[in-house]
Amino acid sequence: MAYAVRNMVKSDIPAYVEFYNLTSSPDQHIDEEEAMAMTFQDPTYSPERHFLAVDSESEAIHADCRLDINRSFIETNGPVSSMVLHYRNREAADEVMIGAADFLSGMGITAVTTWVRAKSPVWRYLNDRSFMAVRDFLVMSMRPSALQPDIPDGYTIRSARFPGEKDIFRKTINDSFRGQFAYYEMDERDFEKRYMLPEDMDRSGFYLAFAPDSTPAGVVASYLKSENVGDLRGLGVLPEHRGKGLGRALAAMSVSFFAENGVEKVTLGVDSMNEPAIRIYSSLGFSREYSVMVVRASVKEMRESILNRGSAEI
């Protein structure tokens, strides 16, 4: 089958929704309104960095590769772009990957990274094209219940007040995660995209912890992905306040928030090397669901491996 590689345009949205839902798990399915929100209505979205492989005759989408070139991440971690790949077959995937590689090379970006589920077909495909695993993360989940947080003496935890405390909330996350794997300074746009969409979401479960001197000490975001699923995000404690039980208290507050809102399942992601955090989550009732990996390749080696290998449909 012959494919044409081009950039995404607004008229692709109906076909993109059909393709996206076909290549994603059921809990990630989207409609046209959601597709617009995550593409052309997103101020960080650039169609020139979103490549489609379409059937030359029917215009049906068979693969897409979306690049995220985050300047803050590059300043901290070097000339690296992140990538999201969906595909129906390897031939189409190879086509969009070549387009992405040429684009990245033209920008002077030398490496690309992405997240993949361990042992998945996507991981096998990428591993065949020079990608190597560099870090392992656990996805943990639980059915939430009301928990009594044991807040350390002198500390307080309350809901963040938006929009007035938005900058404090973002700064506390940044300060808590500074120095960790693949850290970068989250700017206002990054924060808006990850934590503030949709705009009408209930954020009373976005908690700030304060030290006895009333300065911020920790943070957690109880993010409502849907009516039934919640995501515990951005749980962090500033270095000088660790080891007191504050992280566990914040996690318990978040889990209780989800239980009060009728959420049936709470998920979170945690670095497999962060044993203290895993112990906290396990003690609250979270269990391992599956593993995901951060994988990385040289743009040059990725491109060469595709050209040397040829294409083979699944």
Side-chain angles (χ1 to χ4, degrees):
M1 181 181 292
Y3 300 103
V5 176
R6 59 172 174 78
N7 296 122
M8 179 91 154
V9 295
K10 287 184 179 180
S11 59
D12 288 318
I13 289 295
Y16 182 68
V17 168
E18 179 182 357
F19 164 75
Y20 188 95
N21 291 342
L22 180 67
T23 56
S24 302
S25 59
D27 63 335
Q28 295 178 318
H29 284 188
I30 59 174
D31 57 27
E32 291 189 20
E33 182 178 353
E34 291 169 319
M36 282 294 296
M38 61 192 280
T39 55
F40 294 97
Q41 292 175 356
D42 181 350
T44 67
Y45 177 74
S46 296
E48 67 174 3
R49 301 200 301 260
H50 194 171
F51 301 89
L52 305 180
V54 301
D55 185 309
S56 298
E57 296 181 359
S58 68
E59 287 287 294
I61 300 171
H62 284 258
D64 86 305
C65 181
R66 181 171 170 177
L67 302 172
D68 182 15
I69 301 172
N70 186 293
R71 295 299 176 187
S72 297
F73 184 87
I74 287 174
E75 289 172 3
T76 306
N77 297 279
V80 182
S81 170
S82 62
M83 174 190 80
V84 177
L85 173 70
H86 294 88
Y87 65 91
R88 297 191 192 190
N89 57 66
R90 293 187 173 210
E91 180 183 359
D94 284 345
E95 294 292 336
V96 293
M97 294 279 278
I98 289 292
D102 290 342
F103 179 85
L104 292 172
S105 295
M107 294 194 66
I109 294 176
T110 57
V112 63
T113 186
T114 190
W115 296 76
V116 295
R117 190 160 175 165
K119 301 179 182 179
S120 67
V122 178
W123 164 234
R124 291 194 292 272
Y125 165 80
L126 292 174
N127 191 226
D128 284 343
R129 282 143 182 85
S130 79
F131 279 81
M132 300 293 291
V134 296
R135 200 76 162 201
D136 183 54
F137 282 72
L138 304 181
V139 174
M140 305 181 75
S141 65
M142 69 175 292
R143 186 176 182 86
S145 59
L147 301 174
Q148 184 61 43
D150 186 10
I151 302 174
D153 291 343
Y155 288 81
T156 58
I157 299 176
R158 63 163 172 79
S159 298
R161 296 162 184 161
F162 293 107
E165 291 183 329
K166 185 164 61 174
D167 288 342
I168 295 173
F169 198 90
R170 175 172 61 88
K171 184 178 186 303
T172 306
I173 294 177
N174 281 333
D175 291 345
S176 297
F177 284 87
R178 185 170 285 107
Q180 296 191 22
F181 172 75
Y183 167 83
Y184 69 93
E185 193 82 7
M186 184 170 52
D187 62 19
E188 291 184 28
R189 181 173 289 186
D190 296 325
F191 180 76
E192 290 283 340
K193 184 176 182 179
R194 179 159 175 76
Y195 291 95
M196 303 307 290
L197 296 175
E199 294 179 356
D200 61 351
M201 187 180 72
D202 178 7
R203 291 187 179 80
S204 57
F206 282 41
Y207 296 110
L208 277 169
F210 293 89
D213 63 359
S214 299
T215 59
V219 65
V220 69
S222 311
Y223 189 91
L224 292 166
K225 296 173 72 173
S226 69
E227 291 183 359
N228 299 320
V229 180
D231 193 29
L232 195 157
R233 296 185 181 180
L235 174 59
V237 175
L238 298 181
E240 60 269 31
H241 300 288
R242 292 172 188 165
K244 304 176 186 294
L246 189 58
R248 192 179 195 282
L250 283 162
M253 292 278 288
S254 181
V255 170
S256 295
F257 169 83
F258 288 125
E260 292 167 3
N261 281 271
V263 171
E264 297 178 0
K265 180 180 179 180
V266 180
T267 63
L268 61 84
V270 59
D271 190 334
S272 63
M273 297 181 68
N274 191 345
E275 295 181 0
I278 293 172
R279 284 197 297 270
I280 290 173
Y281 297 138
S282 298
S283 72
L284 292 173
F286 283 91
S287 59
R288 175 175 175 166
E289 190 167 330
Y290 58 88
S291 296
V292 295
M293 298 182 297
V294 179
V295 300
R296 179 170 172 163
S298 153
V299 172
K300 180 181 178 181
E301 291 178 358
M302 176 185 78
R303 190 181 192 282
E304 290 177 350
S305 68
I306 293 172
L307 293 176
N308 292 338
R309 179 176 299 276
S311 301
E313 290 200 359
I314 293 177

